Amino acid sequence: MMSSSEHSLGYRHSLISQDTGMVKFSKQFEGQLVPEWKEAFVDYRQLKKTLKKIHLLNTDAANAQQIATSFPDKLLSSIGKFSLFGLRRRQEHGVIQVHKRLAASASRGDLLYETELLEQFADTDAAKEFFACLDMQLNKVNQFYKTKEKEFLERGECLNKQMRILTELKTIIKQRRRGSSTPDEEEDASISCTISCEEDSVKDRTEQVQLQQDGCSTDESDKTEVSFTDSPRSDEMAKSTNMDMKREKGKLRSLSGRVFSFHGKNLRINIPLTTPSRTFSAISYLVWDDLVNQSSRKCGTEGGKLHINKSKLHHAEKMIKGAFIELYKGLGYLKTYRNLNMLAFIKILKKFDKVTGKQVLPIYLKVVESSYFNSSDKVMNLSDEVEDLFIMHFADEDRRKAMKYLRPQQRKESHAITFFIGLFTGCFVALLAGYIIMAHLTGMYRRQPDSIYMETAYPVLRQVVSFNIMFSLLFLHFFLYGCDIFMWRKARINYSFIFELAPTKELKYRDVFLICTTSMTAVVGVMFVHLSLVTKGYSYAQVQAIPGLLLLVFVLLLVCPFNIFYYSSRYRFLGVIRNIVLSPLYKVVMLDFFMADQLCSQVPMLRNLEYVACYYITGSYKTQDYGYCMRAKHYRDLAYAVSFLPYYWRAMQCARRWFDEGQTSHLVNLGKYVSAMLAAGTKVAYEKERNIGWLCLVVVMSSAATVYQLYWDFVKDWGLLQLNSKNPWLRNELMLRRKFIYYISMGLNLILRLAWLQTVIHSSFQNVDYRVTGLFLAALEVIRRGLWNFFRLENEHLNNAGKFRAVKTVPLPFHEVDEED
């Protein structure tokens, strides 16, 4: 049985043997490291630059020596090198010697390594610079490893306590359930425990990251419960008025915390308010507490009960399970950190020996192998312990089942996807060319008062981009999302971690392109068939059902309950849309407000879908009454609502984030979307009544909203325009090497933000229909959003990397509380 250290050494040597030289190690190294910990890894590029200086100096010195040295001198020097005296001398002291010393500012006794040169190099200064850099990298790696190891050990100890509490509570519920012979006795069964209505502080809650939405479901139908009888706490009577006011303020943002005494300890059960049911329950609790306890901050003494039933324990169990998964992932990252850094030290020392002709590798490698990051086995032991606990409590002693959660396998990319992308792209281009030629010959896109095609089929498929692009707004947005994924992966931006996407379920950029090309082929194919039937003189009542059927097929595929056509991604999308529509009842995570921002750029598409729904639901397609939906008053009112609804959802998300976290920046962000709602409202009003008063109001409101949005884009979302940055008008850390890309992007964002000027100018392009012009401007907004997406996630990734945050901090349900709190 090999030890953990022997296993790690064997793993390192297998990595070395796999390195065939086909790909440079520096690229392999950067491709396998943890993106958020990049700054903590060995700076392999810097070491190579320093080594390159030595190589150039050695080459110059060797050339000069070859010219100046005669043959007898060469012979004597060679004999001297192989003399017994010289060999004995090198064995005595070696080439270098690495000293250990305690760090001056380290109170925990951290060791620092310093290398002393014992032999003369071709350029001693360059060699000293190399070993100083090498020592600094080794000390950095040791310090970071020790810090992360301590963090994960503390988290593991905390999870052990959580697991013990959960197991004991589940045991009590099972005992009460077995001991109850009737439902009434089961309902009345209780344990005498103390409970108070204390809540978590805002500071504690802001440090916690929300668990994935799919891990937050509970079984509300389960009524088996254990109730804890209330009793007052005497020390709360002496609290001052100021403390009461602070608790009242904190209570508004943390309604899920309840404190109870269990086995002699005061514990707080904290269930996050992630669903509407929990939110309403917490609000009702707050209202009831305010009505019953107007003069006291403790719970009433009239027999109220806190019920900890199986559904709450089920949710607590899922929280602990998610925390175990994240801990195991972090331990895996730390193992990768150890192995890659060890391999980097081996590689750079081999290169040094090759360049200088010295034997440094055996000497320095002994120091590296005995250093803390390579010799400590605490991470290995904790990883094994987490595996055992997870298998025991969450996998029913089934190791294979546990590994599906702890070590999810990445989906293998199939060549068939690439093939079908090319196939459907070719079909799309052919059908699109045929449609453009036929539409040009029939004059469908010219201004013709008697033309009914633009009033029938085109509103149904209004998203099609005319002239060059001819994509629908929806699938153009989807295509740009695929491009964003490609660029995020190329720039090593961990979008999966930011969006909390499961590695086995996330869409790759090839999947996105396949969905996009397939859908657009179907759309253009249906439009081609529709136009062909219209030109051949078929009845409009028959032809008009075709686009509606296509839309119905897309909707049915989206909600299809069978495990086909990217089932997990479809239902994750529907869940996100549900969270957005029901804002602010759901807890807001990154993916929710990112998707809500996308909807803010799709207002024209939403208004078009509104017309399609009215056109088919009211039966206008049968009577060919194309203007009914435009004349109906309720439709015009609904058009106003749709224009600002995405901004309203986004504003409610900002309000919910302020409610949960207490940061005023969310209120400032809310003001941005309120200004956008007002601007959208004035535009709709101006479309109804075109007079100078509404025009002036449109200019004022749109200008104010544009300035607000530009500031937030550049400074908050992108993190740019920092005056004290080392990169002028940018941030200190950039993911892209070419800085001009950021300046061009800011300029494009500014120009595309001013697309609303078309509302005022009303410029026309010769005989092109005004709806095509509006579609072109809407497509520009979608392109601007696709550009915004990349830099938004880049800034988010850099924030995570700045805090070395590579795994989620999952909130835990049980928290111990001091008596004086």
Side-chain angles (χ1 to χ4, degrees):
M1 189 73 180
M2 289 194 307
S3 64
S4 59
S5 60
E6 290 174 346
H7 177 75
S8 63
L9 285 173
Y11 175 74
R12 287 198 303 275
H13 292 312
S14 66
L15 284 177
I16 297 171
S17 63
Q18 291 173 7
D19 183 20
T20 59
M22 297 294 291
V23 181
K24 289 186 177 180
F25 173 74
S26 57
K27 292 185 178 180
Q28 288 183 336
F29 183 70
E30 292 184 359
Q32 296 176 14
L33 56 78
V34 182
E36 290 79 9
W37 294 354
K38 183 178 180 180
E39 295 300 322
F41 277 81
V42 171
D43 194 346
Y44 191 77
R45 287 183 179 273
Q46 182 61 35
L47 289 171
K48 280 184 64 177
K49 289 180 181 179
T50 309
L51 192 58
K52 190 175 182 180
K53 295 180 183 179
I54 301 176
H55 177 66
L56 294 175
L57 292 171
N58 286 347
T59 303
D60 295 339
N63 293 334
Q65 187 177 6
Q66 185 175 5
I67 296 173
T69 306
S70 62
F71 177 76
D73 294 334
K74 291 182 181 179
L75 183 61
L76 291 175
S77 61
S78 300
I79 294 173
K81 287 181 181 179
F82 289 101
S83 64
L84 295 175
F85 177 76
L87 182 61
R88 189 179 299 112
R89 184 180 177 184
R90 292 184 67 179
Q91 289 177 349
E92 286 177 357
H93 60 74
V95 183
I96 62 171
Q97 185 175 359
V98 183
H99 303 285
K100 301 178 184 178
R101 67 175 179 85
L102 291 176
S105 59
S107 58
R108 300 183 301 271
D110 294 336
L111 289 177
L112 296 181
Y113 295 92
E114 291 180 348
T115 301
E116 178 187 358
L117 305 184
L118 300 181
E119 283 193 5
Q120 189 71 21
F121 288 81
D123 190 291
T124 306
D125 292 335
K128 285 183 179 179
E129 181 183 354
F130 173 80
F131 282 106
C133 184
L134 192 64
D135 294 338
M136 183 181 67
Q137 298 301 320
L138 179 58
N139 294 327
K140 178 183 72 173
V141 169
N142 276 323
Q143 184 60 38
F144 180 81
Y145 187 89
K146 187 177 294 185
T147 302
K148 281 298 175 182
E149 183 187 68
K150 180 182 178 183
E151 176 187 335
F152 289 141
L153 289 175
E154 290 176 353
R155 193 177 301 180
E157 183 180 355
C158 183
L159 279 174
N160 274 329
K161 294 180 180 179
Q162 296 280 319
M163 200 67 241
R164 285 196 296 268
I165 296 172
L166 178 66
T167 304
E168 291 177 1
L169 288 176
K170 289 173 69 175
T171 302
I172 292 174
I173 286 183
K174 288 181 181 179
Q175 291 175 352
R176 296 294 175 182
R177 193 174 185 179
R178 292 172 183 173
S180 300
S181 57
T182 64
D184 293 337
E185 291 179 5
E186 184 177 331
E187 182 71 23
D188 294 334
S190 62
I191 302 174
S192 179
C193 293
T194 305
I195 170 177
S196 65
C197 299
E198 297 179 84
E199 284 79 24
D200 292 343
S201 64
V202 178
K203 179 180 179 182
D204 292 338
R205 290 181 59 81
T206 54
E207 294 177 352
Q208 295 176 346
V209 181
Q210 176 54 39
L211 185 61
Q212 291 182 5
Q213 292 292 333
D214 55 11
C216 298
S217 60
T218 57
D219 185 9
E220 298 294 338
S221 61
D222 198 335
K223 298 299 182 181
T224 304
E225 60 186 20
V226 178
S227 56
F228 295 82
T229 309
D230 296 340
S231 63
R233 294 176 62 179
S234 59
D235 57 343
E236 292 183 353
M237 299 297 293
K239 291 184 178 179
S240 63
T241 306
N242 292 335
M243 185 63 69
D244 291 341
M245 294 176 65
K246 290 181 180 179
R247 289 189 180 277
E248 181 66 25
K249 183 178 180 180
K251 183 177 182 178
L252 292 175
R253 298 187 177 91
S254 180
L255 302 174
S256 60
R258 308 289 181 86
V259 177
F260 60 95
S261 178
F262 181 74
H263 286 197
K265 295 181 179 180
N266 290 325
L267 297 176
R268 176 187 291 117
I269 181 169
N270 182 25
I271 305 297
L273 310 180
T274 55
T275 61
S277 60
R278 295 194 191 99
T279 303
F280 284 129
S281 175
I283 293 175
S284 62
Y285 163 75
L286 175 62
V287 173
W288 176 257
D289 182 64
D290 289 339
L291 291 175
V292 176
N293 310 291
Q294 295 182 2
S295 60
S296 176
R297 295 308 308 149
K298 59 186 178 179
C299 289
T301 60
E302 300 178 3
K305 292 182 179 181
L306 168 65
H307 300 289
I308 302 180
N309 52 30
K310 286 191 66 176
S311 63
K312 290 181 180 179
L313 285 184
H314 179 67
H315 178 69
E317 184 177 5
K318 284 199 170 186
M319 293 172 66
I320 297 173
K321 178 181 178 181
F324 269 111
I325 293 174
E326 291 301 316
L327 174 60
Y328 191 82
K329 185 189 299 183
L331 295 173
Y333 287 161
L334 207 52
K335 293 178 186 177
T336 302
Y337 180 81
R338 166 193 285 181
N339 295 328
L340 285 180
N341 282 318
M342 190 67 194
L343 188 55
F345 281 117
I346 295 173
K347 285 290 184 179
I348 200 64
L349 289 171
K350 279 186 175 181
K351 288 181 179 292
F352 182 86
D353 287 356
K354 184 177 180 181
V355 168
T356 61
K358 307 290 185 179
Q359 294 297 321
V360 172
L361 175 62
I363 303 172
Y364 203 93
L365 190 58
K366 288 181 181 179
V367 177
V368 175
E369 289 181 342
S370 62
S371 63
Y372 188 85
F373 88 94
N374 186 65
S375 60
S376 176
D377 59 351
K378 295 179 181 179
V379 170
M380 294 289 185
N381 296 335
L382 180 58
S383 180
D384 295 338
E385 184 179 352
V386 170
E387 283 188 13
D388 295 338
L389 287 174
F390 197 92
I391 293 171
M392 181 186 303
H393 295 285
F394 303 109
D396 300 326
E397 303 292 341
D398 187 348
R399 181 178 178 81
R400 181 177 298 180
K401 179 181 178 182
M403 290 301 105
K404 290 182 180 180
Y405 293 98
L406 296 177
R407 298 178 188 172
Q409 298 294 325
Q410 293 279 353
R411 286 193 302 112
K412 295 182 179 179
E413 297 184 359
S414 173
H415 294 292
I417 294 180
T418 305
F419 169 77
F420 282 111
I421 290 174
L423 176 64
F424 286 117
T425 300
C427 294
F428 167 73
V429 172
L431 290 171
L432 182 60
Y435 178 81
I436 292 174
I437 294 172
M438 185 177 296
H440 178 72
L441 294 176
T442 56
M444 290 298 177
Y445 287 96
R446 298 193 186 99
R447 292 187 176 182
Q448 300 174 5
D450 56 343
S451 176
I452 61 176
Y453 179 74
M454 289 297 298
E455 302 297 333
T456 57
Y458 187 76
V460 176
L461 300 171
R462 184 179 176 181
Q463 298 88 351
V464 177
V465 178
S466 299
F467 305 105
N468 299 325
I469 305 178
M470 289 297 283
F471 279 102
S472 72
L473 292 180
L474 178 62
F475 292 109
L476 172 62
H477 208 144
F478 206 54
F479 173 78
L480 292 174
Y481 175 69
C483 295
D484 284 329
I485 293 178
F486 177 80
M487 292 303 300
W488 289 332
R489 291 186 61 181
K490 190 173 182 179
R492 298 283 293 159
I493 295 175
N494 196 354
Y495 69 94
S496 299
F497 170 65
I498 295 173
F499 288 146
E500 301 181 12
L501 300 175
T504 57
K505 300 178 182 179
E506 65 170 309
L507 288 177
K508 309 293 185 182
Y509 69 91
R510 288 188 178 90
D511 298 317
V512 175
F513 289 153
L514 177 61
I515 296 172
C516 185
T517 53
T518 305
S519 302
M520 284 309 303
T521 300
V523 169
V524 178
V526 168
M527 287 187 64
F528 185 84
V529 172
H530 183 275
L531 183 57
S532 301
L533 295 177
V534 169
T535 55
K536 289 182 180 180
Y538 280 82
S539 171
Y540 287 106
Q542 299 174 354
V543 175
Q544 290 308 309
I546 296 177
L549 291 175
L550 176 65
L551 182 62
L552 182 61
V553 168
F554 279 149
V555 173
L556 292 177
L557 284 177
L558 182 62
V559 300
C560 178
F562 303 107
N563 191 12
I564 55 175
F565 301 118
Y566 301 103
Y567 173 82
S568 58
S569 298
R570 287 189 289 109
Y571 271 79
R572 182 68 186 273
F573 172 78
L574 292 175
V576 171
I577 295 298
R578 176 204 61 191
N579 297 348
I580 294 173
V581 172
L582 297 181
S583 298
L585 300 179
Y586 280 94
K587 180 84 174 180
V588 182
V589 296
M590 177 70 188
L591 186 58
D592 293 341
F593 67 76
F594 183 85
M595 182 62 70
D597 280 325
Q598 311 308 305
L599 292 179
C600 291
S601 295
Q602 287 287 3
V603 170
M605 185 203 70
L606 294 176
R607 294 186 65 177
N608 184 60
L609 289 178
E610 176 197 9
Y611 176 83
V612 171
C614 175
Y615 185 70
Y616 283 101
I617 292 175
T618 59
S620 298
Y621 73 99
K622 295 180 180 179
T623 61
Q624 302 179 29
D625 187 2
Y626 313 114
Y628 171 78
C629 293
M630 302 299 295
R631 295 192 305 270
K633 182 179 182 301
H634 61 274
Y635 172 82
R636 295 197 301 269
D637 295 338
L638 188 59
Y640 177 81
V642 169
S643 297
F644 74 87
L645 201 55
Y647 302 107
Y648 167 78
W649 290 331
R650 191 65 186 89
M652 290 298 99
Q653 287 181 335
C654 294
R656 175 59 190 260
R657 294 190 69 188
W658 169 81
F659 182 84
D660 290 335
E661 302 173 12
Q663 298 180 4
T664 56
S665 60
H666 297 310
L667 292 180
V668 181
N669 197 16
L670 185 147
K672 182 187 72 172
Y673 293 101
V674 171
S675 67
M677 279 191 286
L678 295 176
T682 54
K683 289 178 186 177
V684 174
Y686 176 66
E687 290 176 2
K688 295 179 181 178
E689 301 179 10
R690 295 181 180 273
N691 55 51
I692 190 64
W694 281 113
L695 178 60
C696 293
L697 193 58
V698 166
V699 173
V700 172
M701 295 305 302
S702 297
S703 299
T706 300
V707 173
Y708 207 153
Q709 292 163 357
L710 285 173
Y711 167 79
W712 204 268
D713 286 347
F714 296 152
V715 178
K716 299 295 183 179
D717 290 338
W718 292 4
L720 303 177
L721 297 182
Q722 296 182 11
L723 299 180
N724 298 324
S725 172
K726 63 183 181 182
N727 302 311
W729 299 103
L730 303 177
R731 65 172 85 90
N732 286 324
E733 299 295 332
L734 301 173
M735 297 295 295
L736 302 178
R737 296 182 180 179
R738 296 178 175 87
K739 298 179 184 178
F740 71 88
I741 296 178
Y742 294 92
Y743 298 114
I744 294 176
S745 300
M746 287 192 289
L748 286 176
N749 189 74
L750 171 62
I751 295 172
L752 296 177
R753 279 285 191 187
L754 298 177
W756 59 269
L757 289 174
Q758 171 64 19
T759 308
V760 179
I761 300 174
H762 290 290
S763 59
S764 59
F765 300 91
Q766 297 180 355
N767 294 326
V768 179
D769 190 89
Y770 73 94
R771 281 161 291 205
V772 177
T773 304
L775 180 60
F776 177 72
L777 295 174
L780 291 180
E781 169 59 21
V782 173
I783 293 172
R784 187 201 67 81
R785 181 62 66 180
L787 183 69
W788 177 90
N789 289 341
F790 176 82
F791 295 103
R792 176 65 182 88
L793 249 69
E794 179 192 11
N795 189 37
E796 188 73 19
H797 173 79
L798 289 173
N799 291 335
N800 289 336
K803 300 176 182 178
F804 300 106
R805 184 168 52 202
V807 293
K808 293 185 299 180
T809 304
V810 180
L812 300 176
F814 307 111
H815 300 273
E816 190 171 345
V817 183
D818 296 332
E819 275 296 328
E820 60 270 11
D821 288 346

